[in-house]
Amino acid sequence: MKNASKDWSLIENGIDLENIEKNGNRFLIGNGYIGLRGVLEEYGKDQLVACTLNGLYDKSGDQWREPVNAPNAFNLEIRVNGKQLETTPGEILEHTQSLDLSRAIHSRRTTYRLASSETLTLEIDRFLSADNIHLGVMSCRIQTTTECELEVRTKIASDIWDINGPHLRDFTPNGQGTCQCLQSLTIEKGIPVSVASDIAASSDWEIETESSQSAHVLRLTSEADKSYSIYKYISIYSGEDTPDPTSRAMNTASQARDLGYEQIRSAHEAVWSERWSRSDVVIKGDEESQFALRYSIYHLLIAAPTKNGLSIPARGLSGQVYKGAIFWDTEIFMLPFFNHTQPELARRLVDYRFHTLDGARRKAADYGYRGAFYAWESQETGDDACTYFNVTDVITGRPMRTYFRDKQIHISADVAIAIWRHYEQSGEIEILTEGGAEVILECARFFYSYSNYKPDRERYELHDVVGPDEYHERVNNNAFTNAMARYTAQIAIKVSELLQRQQPAEWSRLAQKLSLGNELQSFKELAEKLYQPEPEPETLIIEQFDGYHRLEDNRPESLKERLIKPNEYWGGGNGIATTTKVLKQADVVLMLHLFSSEYPDEVKLANWEYYEPRTEHGSSLSPCVYALLAAELGKTEWAYRYFKRTATIDLTGKSKQYVGDLYIGGTHPAANGGAWMAAILGFAGLRVGAQFVELRPNLPAQWESLQFRFCRKGQWFHVQISPDQIEVISEAGNDDEVPFILDGEHMSCAPGKTIRRQKEETISA
């Protein structure tokens, strides 16, 4: 087994049956609506083949609700002289699997050993169209070194891998001409799901259809060294997309057949070319970092929805893990990338929270609060999919009561702040008038409702919460949560003042709709009086929550020695970390990154150095946060180490696969977003504010230069950073000059102009 990569391609040579599950994640393709695991075409559900649909959920019996995996039409079986080919190490001479990041095309080339030392070579390319999200295409080429009887069978397979399924019933085949279709219904709501496929092939093939199996069978007698082609066009629709998904799927597949492979691929590649023109980051001098960062960006782009009402699940579109739910990952770790490089897609992610506001209101009311308490695990309606018993104790076998759903109240602040920062960067007031202001106000209302006023201390406090560090549940005054809630109250006031000033009619309508009355005064009081733990005078340490310093001081390495079984959950009532200072993930350090301007560097440094050795990084969200703050503080070697850990997580497959006995494998789009943040917000030191843009770079020693683009209020900028120079080009756009701070030097940049900052001088051109 040999792995290789170029700037744009992930390549694996050879067959290793131990890597099938990992490769399903590594070679994933997607288009925001469909995710297709990178499993070979001849494999089935035992190898975790999955074609996952974004936004379509189902519940089977009393099991967890999760996204639906559609029937799989991306399959192929080959028989030579009546014998089926097997893709096993003993049956093949050569095998290569690759993923072209620039075009989101998965490819494989396999040479099989036939009798009498003759061979058959199979080449397949497949992609999910970025131009038409309901369409996928597979191109197959077969060549033999001898004359033989070939039979190729490809079907729409109803035998589906599910974690908590089955999710489909009442499979009904349908066919018209060469187009085949398989319709089914979801278990819970009876929503139809239709998968159609049509086929085209070189004239040598004899094509038959088996409608009862939704299959195509192609036969021919091959000539030595002649290549034979097959093209399969696959379309997927559900009843959530159209009233008649079967007709739409069949029409789309047949129209694709008429258009032809080259035209469809050209349109697909054009979309990807445009995406990369905005999002690519060029690193000179470090090929491994260059590829890892592009790979991370690729995973963000394939998961981003281009359809309203959807967001990015915590495991992207790699399967049904974590119930296909949307977490705070999207707002805190992914949205910054989209805000800076794909503002239209960013708006869709923000719109998802508008779409699910009523679910957040229902959750708040269910717990006895007002306003919007967003779901910890959000699905299509915004009602919480997080269960009360998420983890099983692997020692006793008993379900463990966890408090993620009940007590991680910071989720509402994550949502509100993300909306506000998206508004600040885009400058589009419509983000607020079309739903954003309502969400922010309802989140502030929730925090005021949840807070406790302490008359003897003349302050509000937040009790019984869970911060990002989930190993410590039901704590009081978690510093991160309090900071986020306080800022939510502050931006609620800012929103109200902004709309009263710029959109008075809209403000009047919204205030009446929400029956605000004098609640704005309550928000102001909360913003002013909500307790925020301060740095301790002698150490500058910010206590993570009340009583944290009374816990046993330990380190993750020594704590592991207490494990009885390797998959034990470290938190909960009896977890090995619960009574210690060991953290699951960045908590105070994340607060210091998000509110960096409010704390001096000496406070940030003291807390980074205190919490870093106590952090287990039991979440893929954690390393990038330590990279971000380390880069800001000039701890570049540490930042680089954590950047590499974040950016390579899906390449190496070295991540937690289980919490207790719960499988949590899959891709990590939040870590992918964290890799981009570490590179651009960390090493480049980019800060896009409402009034100015700042670049304060600290490049790793391995990087000769760093280039990227970003967007602010509709204006695009190109940045190139080297150890001795920062260059910013303002691309053609509006007429406004934008204030910049380049490594401490104030200047402005007009559209079409270039500014530079060198070590000893500033140059304008």
Side-chain angles (χ1 to χ4, degrees), residues 93-104:
L93 296 174
E94 294 179 350
H95 174 77
T96 300
Q97 184 174 3
S98 63
L99 175 63
D100 183 341
L101 306 181
S102 67
R103 302 180 299 158

Side-chain angles (χ1 to χ4, degrees), residues 392-523:
T392 298
D393 187 322
V394 297
I395 298 172
T396 66
R398 297 170 181 168
M400 296 173 61
R401 176 68 161 96
T402 55
Y403 292 88
F404 312 144
R405 170 185 178 131
D406 320 62
K407 305 300 180 182
Q408 290 197 264
I409 64 171
H410 68 80
I411 178 61
S412 287
D414 305 328
V415 170
I417 293 170
I419 292 170
W420 177 250
R421 291 190 170 179
H422 178 63
Y423 159 71
E424 285 189 314
Q425 186 152 346
S426 69
E428 298 174 357
I429 193 73
E430 293 80 11
I431 291 162
L432 301 177
T433 59
E434 294 175 4
E438 186 171 355
V439 169
I440 291 169
L441 290 164
E442 286 286 65
C443 289
R445 175 179 271 171
F446 165 71
F447 284 116
Y448 183 76
S449 175
Y450 192 95
S451 64
N452 296 285
Y453 185 69
K454 298 292 184 180
D456 55 328
R457 300 176 182 177
E458 296 184 339
R459 71 189 191 195
Y460 289 90
E461 297 184 359
L462 296 177
H463 293 173
D464 199 11
V465 304
V466 179
D469 168 25
E470 293 174 328
Y471 289 165
H472 298 94
E473 299 183 346
R474 310 196 72 168
V475 301
N476 294 341
N477 292 318
N478 170 252
F480 171 88
T481 302
N482 284 27
M484 297 290 282
R486 182 177 65 173
Y487 192 57
T488 301
Q490 290 171 350
I491 62 175
I493 301 305
K494 291 181 180 180
V495 164
S496 68
E497 293 172 348
L498 177 67
L499 292 186
Q500 288 178 67
R501 186 170 61 250
Q502 295 188 18
Q503 300 279 339
E506 173 59 26
W507 171 253
S508 178
R509 183 199 66 80
L510 183 59
Q512 184 175 3
K513 176 183 178 181
L514 298 181
S515 302
L516 282 176
N518 62 356
E519 280 186 274
L520 289 179
Q521 184 57 43
S522 299
F523 300 162

Side-chain angles (χ1 to χ4, degrees), residues 628-679:
L628 282 159
L629 201 60
E632 181 183 345
L633 295 169
K635 297 171 70 69
T636 312
E637 290 185 10
W638 273 101
Y640 182 71
R641 185 183 309 174
Y642 276 121
F643 162 77
K644 291 290 288 293
R645 182 171 174 177
T646 298
T648 61
I649 185 171
D650 288 327
L651 287 168
T652 64
K654 294 179 180 178
S655 62
K656 276 192 175 182
Q657 300 298 303
Y658 289 89
V659 172
D661 63 356
L662 176 65
Y663 174 64
I664 58 170
T667 58
H668 299 78
N672 303 144
W676 181 91
M677 289 196 296

